[in-house]
Amino acid sequence: MQDFPKHVEETVQTLAEIHRLHHSNTRPSEKFVARLTSRMSQPGFLIFITALFLAWIFVNLLTPAWLAKAPDPPPFNLLFQCASLFSVYITLLILISQRREREWVHQRDQLTLELAMLSERKTAKIIQLLEEFRRDHPDMFDREDHEANAMSEPANTRAVGEALLEPHRGMPTPGAVRPNAGDP
């Protein structure tokens, strides 16, 4: 077994704890829906449903030979009604599963954003310290580095967020008609 550095092990443990916390906050009904959806998404379930439909059709086609009337003669209206109802339930199960997954993705995205913002501030602080060290060290040439000065300032996250919410100036909106170069 390979030994990992301590920080890698701590990261893995933290991620496992996040997954455990997400799972522990899941209601029993959501766990049931997740298990059911997981089972229905297997190839065996497709084979089972196909066999069930074929058996239904086969039994209803052969029943008139043994009985006076088939329970669901062609065009198999009862089969179509059952299939429609089953489709509604499968659709609802999928929607419930997707909602829960969307919540999980939102939580991960939020964590990623928070960590990116924290990393950006740390990086700006490191650049500030390096620039300060360069200016204070007697053996290093003291010069003004405008790019380093700009990078040493943390981003204004509020302004960046507002800029993302505003339509880009000068950028055409999707579906907008752009005039030809020769048009007035």
Side-chain angles (χ1 to χ4, degrees):
M1 177 130 175
Q2 183 179 2
D3 289 329
F4 293 104
K6 185 176 180 180
H7 70 279
V8 173
E9 288 182 20
E10 288 173 354
T11 302
V12 170
Q13 290 300 323
T14 301
L15 290 174
E17 182 60 31
I18 289 170
H19 283 277
R20 274 192 296 278
L21 181 62
H22 173 72
H23 188 68
S24 69
N25 289 337
T26 304
R27 294 186 296 250
S29 60
E30 291 173 329
K31 289 178 184 178
F32 172 75
V33 167
R35 280 193 307 272
L36 193 59
T37 305
S38 176
R39 287 190 181 133
M40 287 190 303
S41 66
Q42 301 297 320
F45 188 73
L46 175 65
I47 293 168
F48 171 74
I49 291 297
T50 303
L52 187 66
F53 285 173
L54 289 175
W56 183 289
I57 292 170
F58 183 71
V59 165
N60 280 289
L61 288 176
L62 294 181
T63 301
W66 302 311
L67 300 172
K69 184 179 177 192
D72 186 27
F76 310 112
N77 290 328
L78 186 58
L79 175 64
F80 288 131
Q81 290 173 358
C82 289
S84 296
L85 182 62
F86 187 67
S87 298
V88 168
Y89 276 96
I90 287 179
T91 302
L92 292 174
L93 289 172
I94 291 170
L95 288 173
I96 292 168
S97 297
Q98 285 179 340
R99 181 194 52 80
R100 183 71 181 151
E101 282 299 312
R102 193 171 45 250
E103 289 173 1
W104 173 236
V105 167
H106 177 71
Q107 289 174 351
R108 284 192 324 227
D109 287 347
Q110 187 67 32
L111 177 62
T112 301
L113 178 62
E114 290 172 11
L115 290 174
M117 292 168 67
L118 178 63
S119 294
E120 192 274 334
R121 287 196 307 268
K122 287 181 178 182
T123 302
K125 184 62 177 178
I126 290 169
I127 293 171
Q128 284 176 352
L129 293 172
L130 286 173
E131 280 298 298
E132 190 175 308
F133 174 75
R134 184 181 58 76
R135 282 190 301 269
D136 292 345
H137 196 279
D139 295 335
M140 297 191 84
F141 176 68
D142 191 17
R143 62 179 171 79
E144 186 72 21
D145 188 342
H146 298 293
E147 186 177 9
N149 288 338
M151 292 174 73
S152 68
E153 292 296 321
N156 182 345
T157 54
R158 183 177 310 272
V160 171
E162 289 171 0
L164 288 174
L165 295 176
E166 290 180 12
H168 297 287
R169 293 184 183 107
M171 299 288 292
T173 57
V177 178
R178 293 174 19 183
N180 292 334
D183 291 346

